[in-house]
Amino acid sequence: MGAAPSTPYTVEHLVGTFVGDDSLPLSSDFWQKLLELPFDAQLPSQQVHEACQLLAKNNCKTRHLAKILFHLACYLQESMSTSGVPPLDHEKAVNAVCFTSVFLKHLIESAQDGVVELYLSLHDNDSIPKSILGDQTIEILVMRNVLNFIASVDLSPNTYFLHLELLNFTIIAMSTQLLCGPSPRSNDVNPFLDAAMALDGHLVSSVVCKLLLNYISRPRVPFNRASYPIFYDGSENSMLKRVGSAAANIVLLPFSYLISSSSEGSRDPIADSSLHVLLVLIHYHKFASEGYSVIENQVSASSDSLPKEGTHFSDNPYCKALEHATACELDRVEFEDNAHSDQHVKLPFSLLFDTLGMCLADETAVLLLYSLLQGNSTFLEYVLVRTDLDTLLMPILEALYDARRRTANQIYMLLIILLILSQDSSFNAGVHKLILPTVPWYKERLLLQSSLGSLMVIILIRIVQYNLSKLRDVYLHTTCLATLANMAPHVHHLSPYASQRLVSLFHMLSRKYNKLSDPRDKKLNDAENNSIEISSFVDMSAELHIYTDFLRLVLEIINAILTYALPRNPEVVYAIMHKEDVFQPFKNHPRFSELIENIYTVLEFFNSRMDAQRMDGGWSVNEVLQVVTVNCRSWRVDGMKMFTQLHFTYEQESHPEEFFIPYVWKLVLSKCEFEFNATAINLFPADIPTKKLDNGVEGNTFQNSDFDQV
């Protein structure tokens, strides 16, 4: 033909050989050729998809997935052991990781009936260098080298994209958990997650530390790196393709979002991916019950969970490492040295605190903050002694204010964080000493020179009101009122608006209570002669019982303020005097009379002072408030009936994994621009949207008008 003979090592030939039915030995030079496919290697999306299907068919015989994973692990080990690795070698490693990720992901998400078969063990006739593999399995070797590279190799312009692809490879490898049911079972298959749990403690601590330091430092994409031709050329639909991204509309590998023109695109991909990996690792639970026999190897979104009695989970070393993390004083230049100093995770708590405060609009940051406060007592103590609590609290309160844009789970996490913090008396006192000049995002009322504590009270009552009218979630409501109860004895100069909202909350609950109480009395009489109404009567009685408890708890909150903090809260006294009539119907009620009695003791004291200064004509608001303020100084608590001071604490339920594992993966899939075959997901219902969860909330949405009725 007049041209030089073509080489057999074309992209089509290499990929075709990899997915074919001929098993190639580990020692073949084919693997090096395959893993060094260039960035500009192009394959049509359909061809990549067909190649993935062929590998799924032939992998049982060829074990090519295990072999390419073995060579990838060797590639990474060599790059870590060689100093001064040239950028070109890192680019080859990126190619290898991306290529492997495409096929690994397809094998996982194409599993039948939730049972994944990756065939990670090699055939007996495959000679494996003992110096490399030793007694390890392929999956342990891969996870050890991937996580070791992430933890030990410095981030630089040359290594940035390799770090990013390794983080996303780790997410792909751990995505076998999506095939499992919502409750961990003994027959769940998560080889790479289990391998990660089996790594030594020093590496585990280094990984946790590095992932958090990545999150704190938030390294940006090195756009000046011209040697990486992976960016858009300005056309919204064009992208330089390689094997890892040629199937972008099928697998959406990480580079597709680095330069997304959408505001929803990730601005800090290394930070985001690091947090995703960390959240999956720390919330993984491996079932380890002895004597449990698997009757049926079936996993589905509605499958029964394991019997609660007699079950236990193996320890999660990543969770333990996070729980025992301690503070250190480091600046950003010293980050990397900290990652392998010893087996204890040491973190710059001050920078972590600031980073969380900056990122709490993101649901994954909320979950990280919850995990730290709930599990790490040292970090919790650090947060509680900070004098700038508004750094964390203002974004939390703003997120709750704008709850229509939040998921129900995010609202739960935010409220639990407030409950955990409110367990400390110094926190409750401190938030009332921090004065906010203004709250620009609060639209219903101009809040000037209001305390942070007053704003907390306003927002919590706002959530209670919405919950009563829309969600009707007892747990959410109880969490709000428990936080208010913890705060009540320490309230200091509660603002006029917050005081009014507190009394109005009682009024709203009392109206709901009365509506339930009257029909119940009628149905109680009718039920004796009409069996059809018995079930409805039982339902109404249960709801009435709930509202009785809520109403009593609000009265206890008001009592705690009056008993322990009245001299410091004239506005609360004024609000009660202004709405005195709302308490009257409950004065002789057997469930509420003792709590109402204290309120009327206060009312009688201040009304008598008002009578002693009776003026011609009416009283102005300022005149009444002035009398109240003056007489607060002479108030004595002697006449009050003392109740045990309420104190609520947060405790995780006995099996938190049933909530957190699906929740973490929903967040990962919604944030990382990583599509997964929805029909293969058993961890949560497949019809639940996994994209852009922060733009909507299940069920009803919040509207500003919902909050204007109190």
Side-chain angles (χ1 to χ4, degrees):
M1 301 291 291
S6 60
T7 172
Y9 293 118
T10 62
V11 174
E12 289 79 2
H13 171 79
L14 290 171
V15 174
T17 303
F18 173 67
V19 302
D21 58 1
D22 289 335
S23 179
L24 296 176
L26 276 173
S27 58
S28 171
D29 63 352
F30 163 81
W31 300 105
Q32 182 178 358
K33 298 291 185 183
L34 180 67
L35 291 176
E36 292 180 1
L37 281 172
F39 270 108
D40 58 355
Q42 298 187 40
L43 284 178
S45 300
Q46 182 59 32
Q47 196 169 341
V48 173
H49 184 65
E50 292 171 357
C52 289
Q53 291 179 316
L54 280 174
L55 181 67
K57 176 183 177 181
N58 296 321
N59 185 52
C60 174
K61 173 186 175 182
T62 64
R63 304 298 168 101
H64 278 182
L65 177 67
K67 293 174 184 177
I68 195 172
L69 286 170
F70 175 81
H71 282 281
L72 172 61
C74 294
Y75 220 122
L76 293 173
Q77 186 168 317
E78 182 180 353
S79 67
M80 286 185 288
S81 61
T82 305
S83 60
V85 178
L88 183 59
D89 285 352
H90 288 305
E91 294 182 16
K92 291 179 180 178
V94 170
N95 291 335
V97 177
C98 292
F99 182 89
T100 307
S101 297
V102 171
F103 290 96
L104 176 59
K105 178 180 178 294
H106 179 86
L107 289 176
I108 292 173
E109 66 180 350
S110 61
Q112 298 296 316
D113 298 322
V115 180
V116 59
E117 289 286 358
L118 299 178
Y119 300 103
L120 296 175
S121 60
L122 300 178
H123 293 304
D124 293 337
N125 58 352
D126 285 310
S127 57
I128 305 174
K130 285 291 182 181
S131 60
I132 298 177
L133 190 61
D135 297 327
Q136 303 175 91
T137 61
I138 292 291
E139 53 266 36
I140 289 181
L141 176 66
V142 169
M143 292 304 285
R144 180 186 302 280
N145 287 0
V146 167
L147 293 177
N148 195 19
F149 187 98
I150 292 171
S152 62
V153 176
D154 292 348
L155 263 167
S156 69
N158 289 332
T159 65
Y160 181 95
F161 294 110
L162 181 52
H163 272 276
L164 181 59
E165 291 292 7
L166 288 173
L167 287 166
N168 285 280
F169 169 86
T170 305
I171 294 174
I172 291 171
M174 298 188 299
S175 67
T176 52
Q177 204 168 25
L178 291 167
L179 309 179
C180 304
S183 296
R185 307 191 333 171
S186 60
N187 62 328
D188 290 343
V189 179
N190 296 297
F192 295 100
L193 265 168
D194 291 340
M197 297 298 141
L199 300 180
D200 62 89
H202 182 272
L203 179 54
V204 167
S205 295
S206 297
V207 169
V208 171
C209 187
K210 184 60 174 288
L211 292 175
L212 281 170
L213 294 177
N214 285 347
Y215 182 69
I216 293 170
S217 61
R218 315 191 73 75
R220 298 303 180 96
V221 180
F223 282 108
N224 60 332
R225 286 289 296 157
S227 60
Y228 288 96
I230 61 173
F231 301 109
Y232 289 90
D233 62 2
S235 172
E236 193 169 310
N237 296 317
S238 70
M239 180 172 63
L240 188 62
K241 289 180 167 44
R242 52 193 166 86
V243 171
S245 59
N249 59 344
I250 298 176
V251 295
L252 286 183
L253 278 172
F255 283 137
S256 64
Y257 71 80
L258 290 183
I259 34 69
S260 172
S261 59
S262 168
S263 61
E264 299 295 331
S266 173
R267 292 171 297 178
D268 303 296
I270 286 282
D272 295 343
S273 296
S274 295
L275 180 54
H276 298 157
V277 170
L278 179 65
L279 290 175
V280 173
L281 287 172
I282 65 174
H283 288 288
Y284 178 60
H285 285 73
K286 180 175 173 57
F287 179 68
S289 176
E290 296 180 0
Y292 178 76
S293 60
V294 180
I295 299 175
E296 188 177 3
N297 184 18
Q298 180 179 353
V299 182
S300 69
S302 60
S303 63
D304 295 333
S305 60
L306 288 165
K308 302 303 181 192
E309 58 278 355
T311 65
H312 71 280
F313 298 96
S314 56
D315 287 339
N316 183 320
Y318 298 87
C319 183
K320 294 290 184 185
L322 187 68
E323 289 176 354
H324 293 97
T326 56
C328 66
E329 293 299 329
L330 293 177
D331 59 31
R332 297 178 185 271
V333 177
E334 297 172 309
F335 275 169
E336 304 303 333
D337 294 333
N338 181 53
H340 20 255
S341 57
D342 54 38
Q343 292 193 17
H344 299 287
V345 176
K346 293 184 178 180
L347 296 167
F349 278 179
S350 60
L351 294 177
L352 179 57
F353 180 93
D354 293 339
T355 301
L356 287 168
M358 180 179 62
C359 299
L360 282 176
D362 177 19
E363 203 165 348
T364 53
V366 174
L367 183 54
L368 174 60
L369 177 59
Y370 163 82
S371 302
L372 286 164
L373 294 178
Q374 193 278 329
N376 189 311
S377 58
T378 305
F379 184 76
L380 174 59
E381 291 171 3
Y382 173 82
V383 170
L384 292 172
V385 300
R386 290 281 296 229
T387 57
D388 58 341
L389 286 168
D390 55 316
T391 300
L392 284 184
L393 290 183
M394 287 301 284
I396 289 175
L397 297 176
E398 183 177 4
L400 289 172
Y401 173 80
D402 193 26
R404 63 187 176 83
R405 294 179 56 83
R406 312 298 168 191
T407 68
N409 288 338
Q410 185 176 2
I411 296 170
Y412 290 138
M413 290 292 99
L414 292 167
L415 291 175
I416 291 171
I417 288 169
L418 293 181
L419 176 59
I420 292 172
L421 295 173
S422 73
Q423 294 168 185
D424 183 79
S425 58
S426 64
F427 168 84
N428 294 321
V431 292
H432 289 283
K433 296 176 182 177
L434 205 160
I435 304 301
L436 306 170
T438 184
V439 184
W441 44 262
Y442 196 91
K443 304 302 182 184
E444 284 72 27
R445 180 72 64 95
L446 183 62
L447 301 179
L448 298 176
Q449 298 300 314
S450 179
S451 70
L452 183 58
S454 294
L455 182 61
M456 281 186 64
V457 171
I458 292 168
I459 296 299
L460 288 169
I461 292 174
R462 178 184 172 91
I463 293 295
V464 169
Q465 181 186 357
Y466 172 78
N467 184 51
L468 289 173
S469 63
K470 299 287 184 176
L471 296 179
R472 301 176 182 272
D473 188 309
V474 174
Y475 178 76
L476 186 152
H477 191 106
T478 303
T479 304
C480 289
L481 293 182
T483 304
L484 288 170
N486 286 345
M487 295 174 64
H490 310 281
V491 167
H492 188 88
H493 288 297
L494 198 65
S495 70
Y497 184 50
S499 301
Q500 295 165 21
R501 299 287 283 182
L502 181 60
V503 176
S504 295
L505 175 62
F506 173 82
H507 189 202
M508 182 184 64
L509 285 169
S510 67
R511 293 201 308 267
K512 183 65 176 177
Y513 174 86
N514 290 330
K515 287 180 182 178
L516 288 169
S517 182
D518 292 342
R520 175 186 177 277
D521 292 339
K522 181 179 183 299
K523 286 198 173 187
L524 179 60
N525 296 326
D526 294 343
E528 298 177 359
N529 302 318
N530 188 351
S531 59
I532 297 177
E533 296 187 10
I534 290 179
S535 61
S536 127
F537 165 68
V538 171
D539 293 342
M540 186 171 291
S541 295
E543 189 174 4
L544 180 64
H545 178 73
I546 291 171
Y547 275 92
T548 301
D549 289 342
F550 288 162
L551 197 58
R552 184 174 176 86
L553 185 51
V554 173
L555 283 174
E556 289 177 320
I557 291 168
I558 295 173
N559 262 267
I561 296 174
L562 297 179
T563 304
Y564 298 101
L566 185 149
R568 305 189 302 271
N569 291 283
E571 293 288 356
V572 176
V573 175
Y574 175 82
I576 292 172
M577 294 176 66
H578 183 64
K579 292 285 187 178
E580 178 177 348
D581 57 309
V582 306
F583 300 99
Q584 181 65 39
F586 300 93
K587 194 170 184 179
N588 298 315
H589 194 291
R591 287 296 307 273
F592 309 118
S593 58
E594 58 181 359
L595 293 166
I596 295 291
E597 182 180 340
N598 275 349
I599 293 175
Y600 271 90
T601 298
V602 172
L603 285 170
E604 290 168 4
F605 174 85
F606 285 94
N607 283 331
S608 66
R609 298 304 189 272
M610 293 282 293
D611 292 340
Q613 300 182 36
R614 184 170 297 278
M615 300 170 54
D616 295 333
W619 290 80
S620 69
V621 172
N622 289 336
E623 288 170 342
V624 174
L625 188 57
Q626 184 178 3
V627 172
V628 170
T629 303
V630 170
N631 285 281
C632 277
R633 301 167 190 164
S634 59
W635 164 258
R636 296 292 179 268
V637 76
D638 301 341
M640 301 282 281
K641 185 174 182 179
M642 305 298 291
F643 296 96
T644 302
Q645 191 173 126
L646 295 177
H647 186 73
F648 292 89
T649 58
Y650 168 75
E651 292 184 5
Q652 275 191 348
E653 295 185 2
S654 57
H655 288 271
E657 70 282 347
E658 295 182 0
F659 170 79
F660 284 105
I661 293 176
Y663 181 39
V664 166
W665 275 105
K666 285 183 186 180
L667 290 179
V668 169
L669 292 184
S670 70
K671 300 291 183 181
C672 73
E673 296 295 333
F674 183 85
E675 294 284 1
F676 197 91
N677 180 9
T679 61
I681 297 176
N682 292 315
L683 187 60
F684 47 84
D687 58 346
I688 291 181
T690 57
K691 301 299 294 177
K692 299 180 181 177
L693 292 177
D694 56 337
N695 286 337
V697 59
E698 299 172 25
N700 297 302
T701 58
F702 290 69
Q703 301 292 336
N704 283 337
S705 58
D706 294 330
F707 301 96
D708 297 334
Q709 304 305 315
V710 169

